[in-house]
Amino acid sequence: MIMVSSCLAGLKVRYNGTDSLNDVIQQMVAQNKAVTVCPELLGGFVTPREPAEIVGGDGRDVLEGRARVVEKSGRDVSGMYIQGAHRTLEKAREVGASMVVLKEYSPSCGSAMIYNGSFANEKVAGSGVTTALLEREGIRVMSEGTFLEALDSGLI
């Protein structure tokens, strides 16, 4: 089973109430080849919500207490992101996920790139909180772009 970010399957759960629909991923969910998850909703957030970015590092640093996830207004929401990551890990184990495909750039889901914490639309190399936890626990995580490339080339 593959677990995918809910927004990639067309669910309007992003911070601004939109989705990041990918037709291939949506079709996989419809065919019961994938299940959806939104770590931020599992962490207690609602849609819409204030944008948040990681300040002082990446998801690994948040898990170790060396960085924080903050909303644009400055409110520290690290605990909610960590809670969502742990609940996502539980769900991945429940469904026996062999891989998790998460939305790139998100402070939860980014797997290679995240926003740099300046709220200036600038990205840096790093992972989100959920990705960091899943990878630490041995679960394969990839972005939607990497997943689709691997699918197209027959690697998956």
Side-chain angles (χ1 to χ4, degrees):
M1 181 58 68
I2 297 173
M3 196 161 70
V4 299
S5 288
S6 297
C7 63
L8 296 173
L11 300 173
K12 298 185 182 311
V13 296
R14 294 185 68 224
Y15 76 94
N16 59 3
T18 64
D19 62 52
S20 295
L21 175 63
N22 178 281
D23 292 331
V24 172
I25 291 174
Q26 185 182 47
Q27 185 177 16
M28 291 179 71
V29 171
Q31 295 170 345
N32 294 317
K33 294 179 180 176
V35 296
T36 61
V37 66
C38 178
E40 293 174 13
L41 294 183
L42 290 176
F45 288 99
V46 296
T47 303
R49 56 191 168 275
E50 192 173 351
E53 296 185 8
I54 298 175
V55 175
D58 72 356
R60 291 175 207 74
D61 298 309
V62 172
L63 291 172
E64 298 297 323
R66 296 186 303 259
R68 302 176 302 127
V69 185
V70 297
E71 292 179 328
K72 192 170 185 179
S73 65
R75 181 173 77 124
D76 185 338
V77 289
S78 303
M80 293 174 78
Y81 275 81
I82 292 169
Q83 177 177 315
H86 281 280
R87 288 191 173 160
T88 300
L89 174 61
E90 290 170 15
K91 183 171 181 177
R93 287 178 172 157
E94 285 172 13
V95 302
S98 58
M99 143 186 351
V100 181
V101 179
L102 298 175
K103 179 68 183 123
E104 195 66 279
Y105 312 126
S106 158
S108 288
C109 299
S111 59
M113 301 288 290
I114 57 172
Y115 289 100
N116 72 357
S118 69
F119 294 93
N121 202 31
E122 297 173 6
K123 300 169 190 119
V124 295
S127 62
V129 178
T130 298
T131 296
L133 180 64
L134 294 175
E135 288 180 340
R136 184 173 82 186
E137 295 297 318
I139 296 174
R140 183 177 179 196
V141 179
M142 58 178 55
S143 71
E144 67 277 19
T146 303
F147 173 71
L148 294 171
E149 288 172 12
L151 201 60
D152 285 345
S153 63
L155 298 174
I156 297 177

